[in-house]
């Protein structure tokens, strides 16, 4: 049994067989073969080994002819490994004695050696570990041949393990077959993590290197509430997690009963809880969870989940689907936040290596540079607006000029629609995300021109603290409780109050029960959150008074380091909701 710890991003427990989704998407289909198939399986392994050796010999010859003998030496080393008697005996031994499938045995043996080499902490040996992974890949290619499977071809439930999953890959996960996932990289508010919450899949990210320890097919436990991955658990651990899986289910069932109750404090102040969604299909589920509207629809996922560019009609239909779930409540459509890690195939920007994509052309900057793309989306939004209380929000606005430009383009689109006699709504509120420190600092100026603010703490924290939100190496520095973040929140809330415009928080911070008393105490009366968090947040709100929340906020704002702020807030939450699962 092996226990690995990372970052908890989506609660719940998943227990099932591992599917390793590597860069080559190999899936080891079965762990065991029947006893009578052992001889034919060993023959299959032998054939794959012969084919692999032939392939390496060809590579060796070509490298020697084209590049010189010193380059061919790489392949000579691979060949030596492939012909190593001890390795071959060990693999055949596992097939014969343990009835392991050849794929599983190859992976098991080669990875075990690779891991030992890696642990020696020496450059020479880490290179040998890479050779072993390379050999594994070649052998698996020959063994699996056409049977190589991709995520879209799953037929049974698995726990997905990967180095990384892009937001598009995560968006494409089929909930019928994926029970949960864990990745080596990724941070607390990476888009992959956010999607895990949207799909309600238990997930942990930022585990660090662990794929070398898994071949596929082993039993895996993912504890998404604590960020733990357990490989090959023993019986006692398995029983313990089955019990906690059940506890989580009954906790969720209990919270379900809060669905119809109003989201208001004990002294009767209503705190509106809206949902954040990525796909139109989630709107109905958000309504079921008790969302009072959609506070953030991340429309870029329409681009990320499909191979071809969505048309105006595709977008219009998607927005209408959301409005069907919320025909009278507010639905805030955020215009495309593409770029950086959210890069669709159809619109690839190849950022030069020396450029930081998070500071480059992304989001509203990208829309303003691709006016056709921007206008197409705005047309779809304005047409759909006829069917409900739709509002438009621009992401990553940094300067007033940028906001004015975006608004001007909206004006052009309105004129076009009018000229063409197309049915649409003219008066649509236009707001902005406050997710760049510059926008928070100039909140007063912005508040004079925008119809509403929505604070995107995910990016605001990243840009204020200079910490990449997806990088596990700096995950401990990424703190929503940092006093600088509290200060910026306060500035934005005060500016909104002074200019009497609505303000909400739609970053992950508002989905964390620990921060809710603070946000309410600061004066926020609207939050937009991951839909599955709504029942738990409602419970916190219903146990709170405004006076109590204000006391908590005032005290938190006197503390000068993030750890103290967060410990204080955690302690207060425990007092407010002793049953909280945190
Ligand atoms: C944010 O940055 O807080 C936000 C809500 O936007 P996203 O997570 O999509 O970047
Ligand atoms: Mg953002």
């Amino acid at each position: 049994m092996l226990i690995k710890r990372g970052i908890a991003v989506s609660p719940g427990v998943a227990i099932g067989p591992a599917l390793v989704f590597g860069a080559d998407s190999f899936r080891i289909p079965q762990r065991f073969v029947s006893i009578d198939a052992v001889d034919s399986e060993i023959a299959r392994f032998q054939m794959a080994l012969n084919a692999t050796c032939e392939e390496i010999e060809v590579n060796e010859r070509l490298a020697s002819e084209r590049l010189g003998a010193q380059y061919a030496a790489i392949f000579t080393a691979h060949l030596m490994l492939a012909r190593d008697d001890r390795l071959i005996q060990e693999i055949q031994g596992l097939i014969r004695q343990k009835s392991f499938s050849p794929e599983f045995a190859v992976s098991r043996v080669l990875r075990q050696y690779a891991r030992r080499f890696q642990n020696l902490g020496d450059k020479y040996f880490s290179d040998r570990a890479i050779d072993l992974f390379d050999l594994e890949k070649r052998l698996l290619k020959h063994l699996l041949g056409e049977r190589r499977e991709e995520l879209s071809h799953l037929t049974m439930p698995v726990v997905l393990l990967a180095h990384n999953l892009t937001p598009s890959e995560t968006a494409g996960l089929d909930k019928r077959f994926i029970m949960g996932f864990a990745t080596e990289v990724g941070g607390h508010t990476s888009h992959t993590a956010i999607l895990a919450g949207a799909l309600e899949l238990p997930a942990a990210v930022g585990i660090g290197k662990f794929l070398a320890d898994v071949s596929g097919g082993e039993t895996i436990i993912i504890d998404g509430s604590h960020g733990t991955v357990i490989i090959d658990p023993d019986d006692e651990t398995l029983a313990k997690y089955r019990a906690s899986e059940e506890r989580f289910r009954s906790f969720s069932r209990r919270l379900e009963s809060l669905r119809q109750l109003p989201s208001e404090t004990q002294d009767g102040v209503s705190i509106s809880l809206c949902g954040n969604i990525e796909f139109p299909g989630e709107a109905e589920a958000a309504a079921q969870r008790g969302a009072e509207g959609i506070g953030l629809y991340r429309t870029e996922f329409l681009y990320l989940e499909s191979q071809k560019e969505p048309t105006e009609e595709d977008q219009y239909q998607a927005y209408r689907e959301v409005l069907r779930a919320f025909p009278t409540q507010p639905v805030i459509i955020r215009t495309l936040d593409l770029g950086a890690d959210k890069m669709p195939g159809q619109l690839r920007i190849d950022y030069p290596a020396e450029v930081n994509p998070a500071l480059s052309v992304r989001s509203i900057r990208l829309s303003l540079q691709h006016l056709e793309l921007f206008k197409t989306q705005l047309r779809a939004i304005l047409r759909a607006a006829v069917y409900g209380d739709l509002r438009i929000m621009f992401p990553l606005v940094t300067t007033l000029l940028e906001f004015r430009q975006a608004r001007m383009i909206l004006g052009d689109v309105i004129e076009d629609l009018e000229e063409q006699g197309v049915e649409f709504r003219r008066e649509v509120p236009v707001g902005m995300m406050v997710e760049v420190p510059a926008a928070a600092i100039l909140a007063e100026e912005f508040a004079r021109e925008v119809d509403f603010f929505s604070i995107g703490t995910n990016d605001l924290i990243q840009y204020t603290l200079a910490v990449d939100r997806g990088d596990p190496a700096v995950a401990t520095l990424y703190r929503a409780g940092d006093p600088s973040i509290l200060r910026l929140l306060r500035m934005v809330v005060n500016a909104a109050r002074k200019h009497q415009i609505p303000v909400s928080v739609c970053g992950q911070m508002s989905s964390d029960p620990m921060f809710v008393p603070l946000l309410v105490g600061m004066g926020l009366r609207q939050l937009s959150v991951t839909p599955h968090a709504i029942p738990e947040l409602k419970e916190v709100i219903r146990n709170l008074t405004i006076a109590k929340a204000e006391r908590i906020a005032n005290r938190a704002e006197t503390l000068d380091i993030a750890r103290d702020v967060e410990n204080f807030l955690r302690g207060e939450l425990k007092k407010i909701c002793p049953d909280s699962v945190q």
Side-chain angles (χ1 to χ4, degrees):
M1 175 165 98
L2 199 62
I3 302 178
K4 299 274 173 183
R5 287 178 216 287
I7 304 166
V9 291
S10 180
V13 174
I15 304 175
L19 165 62
V20 180
F21 183 58
D24 284 313
S25 338
F26 281 119
R27 175 185 172 207
I28 297 172
Q30 65 182 112
R31 184 172 175 173
F32 299 108
V33 294
S34 67
I35 305 270
D36 19 317
V38 161
D39 284 335
S40 62
E41 290 296 287
I42 287 188
R44 199 160 67 79
F45 164 66
Q46 200 54 57
M47 272 165 58
L49 185 61
N50 293 345
T52 301
C53 288
E54 276 168 31
E55 185 183 279
I56 303 175
E57 275 165 3
V58 172
N59 289 156
E60 188 186 27
R61 205 179 52 246
L62 286 177
S64 168
E65 282 164 16
R66 293 183 191 163
L67 303 166
Q70 71 274 36
Y71 291 95
I74 302 169
F75 297 105
T76 318
H78 286 191
L79 211 49
M80 272 168 64
L81 279 176
R83 291 189 176 137
D84 186 293
D85 258 351
R86 218 171 117 196
L87 284 182
I88 297 172
Q89 295 298 335
E90 237 176 281
I91 293 168
Q92 290 183 340
L94 286 182
I95 303 173
R96 193 167 292 289
Q97 279 129 35
K98 296 207 167 177
S99 305
F100 278 2
S101 69
E103 292 86 352
F104 192 70
V106 160
S107 200
R108 191 96 219 216
V109 170
L110 297 184
R111 280 173 184 232
Q112 247 163 26
Y113 279 103
R115 204 163 52 239
R116 279 186 219 155
F117 281 166
Q118 276 176 335
N119 290 344
L120 291 175
D122 173 289
K123 168 90 177 71
Y124 174 81
F125 286 111
S126 4
D127 286 349
R128 299 294 73 75
I130 294 171
D131 290 344
L132 282 161
F133 284 126
D134 196 90
L135 180 61
E136 180 207 13
K137 220 180 267 173
R138 285 178 189 273
L139 278 165
L140 287 179
K141 194 179 76 194
H142 287 290
L143 280 167
L144 292 166
E146 287 307 303
R147 290 197 291 139
R148 207 178 125 164
E149 290 179 71
E150 308 259 341
L151 281 181
S152 50
H153 301 148
L154 293 175
T155 50
M156 61 172 221
V158 290
V159 169
L160 183 64
L161 306 176
H163 172 66
N164 192 14
L165 287 172
T166 63
S168 332
E169 281 161 351
T170 317
L173 295 182
D174 185 341
K175 258 197 85 169
R176 285 174 307 159
F177 300 119
I178 304 288
M179 307 163 81
F181 71 79
T183 56
E184 292 192 323
V185 300
H188 192 251
T189 60
S190 56
H191 291 102
T192 300
I194 290 170
L195 280 170
L199 295 165
E200 299 194 19
L201 288 173
V205 303
I207 307 285
K209 288 220 166 300
F210 77 103
L211 290 183
D213 297 313
V214 201
S215 302
E218 296 99 327
T219 299
I220 302 288
I221 299 174
I222 292 186
D223 176 352
S225 310
H226 298 96
T228 316
V229 177
I230 304 174
I231 302 158
D232 267 335
D234 57 30
D235 290 346
E236 193 186 330
T237 309
L238 207 51
K240 187 179 117 196
Y241 275 93
R242 291 225 188 275
S244 83
E245 195 179 14
E246 187 40 47
R247 246 193 338 273
F248 183 76
R249 259 194 229 117
S250 66
F251 175 70
S252 307
R253 270 197 301 273
R254 184 174 68 73
L255 290 176
E256 278 288 292
S257 62
L258 293 174
R259 208 174 66 201
Q260 304 302 339
L261 298 176
S263 169
E264 62 180 32
T265 56
Q266 282 178 348
D267 43 350
V269 175
S270 133
I271 311 292
S272 141
L273 290 176
C274 286
N276 291 348
I277 59 167
E278 288 70 34
F279 310 102
E282 276 179 85
E284 187 51 51
Q288 304 265 324
R289 296 271 183 198
E292 294 166 53
I294 295 299
L296 168 65
Y297 173 15
R298 294 181 163 100
T299 55
E300 58 277 6
F301 281 90
L302 207 57
Y303 275 77
L304 295 170
E305 67 175 348
S306 99
Q307 296 304 316
K308 60 177 196 23
E309 193 166 338
T311 61
E312 178 183 325
E313 190 58 24
D314 294 337
Q315 299 184 59
Y316 168 76
Q317 290 301 343
Y319 306 153
R320 283 210 55 189
E321 185 178 343
V322 177
L323 288 168
R324 270 194 288 278
F326 292 96
T328 54
Q329 297 101 320
V331 169
I332 299 182
I333 304 216
R334 177 175 77 178
T335 61
L336 298 171
D337 187 26
L338 288 168
D341 63 329
K342 289 188 280 195
M343 188 55 74
Q346 326 90 345
L347 238 169
R348 257 215 98 65
I349 299 179
D350 287 316
Y351 296 104
E354 65 278 15
V355 155
N356 176 349
L359 302 179
S360 183
V361 180
R362 67 165 281 212
S363 203
I364 192 70
R365 300 172 186 174
L366 188 142
S367 293
L368 289 173
Q369 283 192 14
H370 293 81
L371 286 186
E372 270 321 298
L373 167 112
F374 194 29
K375 287 185 170 179
T376 304
Q377 175 172 39
L378 292 173
R379 285 175 66 94
I381 296 177
L382 291 171
R383 284 175 53 209
V386 173
Y387 299 95
D389 181 1
L390 191 152
R391 303 170 189 189
I392 297 178
M393 174 158 76
F394 297 131
L396 209 83
V397 174
T398 309
T399 66
L400 273 160
L401 187 63
E402 213 166 39
F403 181 78
R404 288 176 193 155
Q405 278 173 339
R407 208 171 186 149
M408 212 170 67
I409 307 294
L410 181 67
D412 292 348
V413 172
I414 290 177
E415 269 179 33
D416 290 348
L417 287 169
E418 226 153 39
E419 258 173 40
Q420 292 157 6
V422 177
E423 190 188 21
F424 75 102
R425 202 171 102 220
R426 194 173 226 290
E427 300 307 324
V428 176
V430 183
M432 66 178 264
M433 305 254 323
V434 180
E435 50 183 346
V436 178
I441 294 166
L442 291 187
E444 283 253 2
E445 282 73 7
F446 278 106
R448 293 194 193 104
E449 302 196 18
V450 307
D451 294 325
F452 62 90
F453 283 148
S454 186
I455 308 176
T457 48
N458 302 340
D459 277 313
L460 188 62
I461 297 168
Q462 142 162 291
Y463 293 126
T464 305
L465 301 180
V467 175
D468 187 327
R469 60 194 269 192
D471 180 359
V474 285
T476 52
L477 302 177
Y478 185 96
R479 309 294 284 255
D482 194 274
S484 60
I485 304 300
L486 272 46
R487 189 86 50 95
L488 291 176
L489 285 171
R490 181 60 89 179
M491 288 166 72
V492 181
V493 173
N494 286 351
R497 186 181 289 152
K498 183 166 162 198
H499 293 274
Q500 299 189 339
I501 59 166
V503 56
S504 146
V505 174
C506 65
Q508 290 303 101
M509 185 177 184
S510 58
S511 298
D512 187 336
M514 166 172 115
F515 290 111
V516 167
L518 168 82
L519 297 175
V520 171
M522 282 184 157
L524 283 145
R525 297 294 176 262
Q526 297 171 20
L527 302 174
S528 190
V529 304
T530 307
H532 73 76
I534 290 177
E536 193 178 1
L537 300 180
K538 206 184 265 188
E539 181 163 60
V540 178
I541 290 166
R542 292 179 59 82
N543 283 324
L544 206 57
T545 61
I546 294 295
K548 168 94 182 145
E550 284 175 351
R551 268 200 307 279
I552 292 175
N554 288 341
R555 169 92 182 103
E557 284 176 280
T558 63
L559 302 172
D560 56 8
I561 53 174
R563 191 197 53 208
D564 292 350
V565 172
E566 290 171 9
N567 283 343
F568 167 68
L569 294 177
R570 209 170 283 121
E572 290 302 307
L573 178 68
K574 267 273 166 252
K575 288 189 232 157
I576 298 164
C577 290
D579 291 346
S580 145
V581 279
Q582 297 234 321

